[in-house]
Amino acid sequence: MSIHHFDARGMKCPLPVLKARKLMKDLAHGDVLEVRATDPGAPGDFKHFCETTGHRLLDSTEAEGVFVIRIETVRDA
């Protein structure tokens, strides 16, 4: 398992999700993408993204206006 970072601060939704989707295509099963975003809609957008793609939302936290969203890559067996 590898942890990858994506800085989406300053981007407006849906751009963070679209760029994260593209990045995750190159990640292996079990890899984690940690996204940092400032758009208040990001946590909900990433929750929906995981529900529709099968990737696993590990956690979503917020500190000082920055949302940290961790997603585990899930590949079909």
Side-chain angles (χ1 to χ4, degrees), residues 32-70:
V32 173
L33 181 64
E34 183 177 286
V35 180
R36 294 187 182 275
T38 49
D39 189 309
D45 288 349
F46 277 102
K47 180 178 185 288
H48 182 259
F49 167 72
C50 289
E51 289 169 351
T52 58
T53 61
H55 296 302
R56 188 171 358 165
L57 181 64
L58 298 176
D59 57 54
S60 177
T61 59
E62 184 270 334
E64 298 179 14
V66 178
F67 300 93
V68 178
I69 301 149
R70 295 176 64 241

Side-chain angles (χ1 to χ4, degrees), residues 17-29 31-33 35 46 49-50 53 55-56 71-75:
V17 172
L18 296 175
K19 288 187 177 275
R21 178 189 303 259
K22 187 174 181 181
L23 289 170
M24 291 182 77
K25 287 183 179 185
D26 295 328
L27 301 186
H29 180 81
D31 281 1
V32 173
L33 181 64
V35 180
F46 277 102
F49 167 72
C50 289
T53 61
H55 296 302
R56 188 171 358 165
I71 303 166
E72 181 180 355
T73 305
V74 176
R75 298 278 177 241

